[in-house]
Amino acid sequence: MMNTAYALIFGFVITVGLPLNAVSLWILLRHHSLKLPSAVFMVNLAISDLLLIVSLPMRVYYYAKGTWTFSNMTCIWVTMLFRNNIRSSSIFITFISVDRLLAVVYPLRSRHLRTSSKAWKGAALVWLIVLVVNVPESVGFLRHLSTLQNSTCFEFDAENDTSLLQNETLTMATDYFQLVLLFAMLAVNIVSTAMVLWTVQRHQNESALVKNKVNVMLIFIMNLMMFTVFFLPVSLVVFFENFRPALSCLASLNCCLDPLLYYFSFDGFWKRKEEVDMSLGRE
């Protein structure tokens, strides 16, 4: 019964998240200038979400059939795409928060920091770190799967599997790395939200005035919700292995909400690239 529910939830994410993120990516690339660092981070966030979504049909198949008929390497690839989304999304969302913080609180002093070249370098570094972390995880999971007699996937129980315990330094370390990373990113988002809220309310200088305060605060509220509702629970699975499938379903839903972040981040999400280029001098 639970497997059917998991399959339906992942199917829902595919049905809703795939068109929303594909259209959002198209709009970002066609209608918005990648000279804005926030647009660069949103493009990478959309790519991260799409990579997760293309892996979900395998999860739907597994939970619908109750067995895994593909290779162990396929299972590893699908698992890594899911974990990479949690890590890369949390960092890109934090980058968006910090970019908005600098634009609102330090609009003039931060102009040399908020450039597209620096944004692309930061995005490249994020993907590099994510891929490096994949190496020990993949090794540990592959050794674990090779010892199983039944056809299974996405179930890595360190407490009940001796083979995985033997590779604890490879697998558990990455779980704790993800948990520490998310708490650090959450702390940055909380501080950014507090500083922007304080600045918007106090209006201490002319350049801190924001035309659409509601949209600005919605960006930060959504970012905090992403962490507390979707990212942190699935990272705490290191302590609650039995809840892994349910929390994975919950975490995958973040793909359906990220397009709202793109919409609220721009005063005119549908406006043409030329209009965005003209607005660069006013930000």
Side-chain angles (χ1 to χ4, degrees):
M1 183 64 180
M2 291 303 298
N3 281 359
T4 302
Y6 299 150
L8 289 174
I9 293 173
F10 286 129
F12 170 82
V13 174
I14 296 171
T15 304
V16 176
L18 181 58
L20 282 178
N21 282 279
V23 171
S24 296
L25 181 60
W26 180 81
I27 293 172
L28 286 168
L29 292 174
R30 183 176 177 83
H31 286 190
H32 290 274
S33 172
L34 293 183
K35 295 176 182 178
L36 291 172
S38 57
V40 172
F41 297 138
M42 289 175 195
V43 165
N44 282 273
L45 180 58
I47 292 173
S48 176
D49 287 342
L50 287 171
L51 288 175
L52 168 64
I53 292 169
V54 298
S55 74
L56 293 184
M58 291 291 189
R59 288 183 178 261
V60 173
Y61 175 86
Y62 173 70
Y63 288 114
K65 298 283 290 185
T67 184
W68 183 258
T69 58
F70 302 98
S71 67
N72 287 344
M73 281 306 303
T74 303
C75 175
I76 296 300
W77 277 102
V78 173
T79 302
M80 290 301 102
L81 284 175
F82 182 89
R83 290 178 168 239
N84 288 349
N85 174 260
I86 301 298
R87 293 160 186 163
S88 59
S89 293
S90 64
I91 299 176
F92 287 131
I93 285 175
T94 302
F95 281 173
I96 292 170
S97 291
V98 172
D99 177 71
R100 294 297 86 195
L101 164 70
L102 294 175
V104 173
V105 182
Y106 308 106
L108 298 179
R109 284 182 288 175
S110 65
R111 290 183 70 86
H112 69 287
L113 295 174
R114 300 177 56 248
T115 63
S116 60
S117 61
K118 287 184 172 62
W120 281 115
K121 290 177 183 178
L125 180 61
V126 170
W127 289 115
L128 177 62
I129 293 173
V130 166
L131 291 176
V132 168
V133 173
N134 283 176
V135 176
E137 273 188 318
S138 299
V139 171
F141 291 158
L142 189 59
R143 290 177 181 175
H144 167 65
L145 290 172
S146 64
T147 64
L148 297 179
Q149 301 299 320
N150 58 325
S151 298
T152 187
C153 187
F154 316 125
E155 297 169 4
F156 309 106
D157 192 342
E159 294 182 357
N160 300 319
D161 192 88
T162 56
S163 67
L164 194 56
L165 282 172
Q166 293 172 357
N167 302 294
E168 186 174 1
T169 56
L170 294 177
T171 54
M172 297 298 287
T174 54
D175 282 338
Y176 284 110
F177 164 78
Q178 177 169 303
L179 189 59
V180 172
L181 172 68
L182 287 175
F183 271 114
M185 296 296 101
L186 176 60
V188 173
N189 277 272
I190 292 174
V191 172
S192 299
T193 302
M195 292 181 66
V196 170
L197 179 62
W198 182 82
T199 302
V200 169
Q201 287 181 337
R202 297 293 295 271
H203 301 303
Q204 288 201 342
N205 57 70
E206 289 292 328
S207 48
L209 295 177
V210 180
K211 288 192 294 184
N212 197 330
K213 303 175 193 174
V214 175
N215 279 15
V216 169
M217 294 315 304
L218 278 174
I219 294 171
F220 288 93
I221 292 171
M222 285 186 61
N223 288 351
L224 290 177
M225 183 186 69
M226 291 290 183
F227 277 88
T228 56
V229 177
F230 301 116
F231 297 154
L232 279 180
V234 74
S235 297
L236 291 170
V237 77
V238 66
F239 304 113
F240 309 102
E241 282 287 341
N242 292 335
F243 296 98
R244 184 183 293 275
L247 293 177
S248 296
C249 285
L250 178 65
S252 67
L253 291 171
N254 84 87
C255 297
C256 301
L257 294 180
D258 281 339
L260 290 177
L261 180 64
Y262 314 144
Y263 179 81
F264 289 121
S265 295
F266 296 102
D267 290 335
F269 185 60
W270 297 92
K271 62 186 177 182
R272 294 184 177 277
K273 185 186 296 185
E274 291 81 4
E275 297 177 67
V276 180
D277 290 336
M278 291 176 61
S279 68
L280 281 172
R282 296 195 299 268
E283 185 173 312

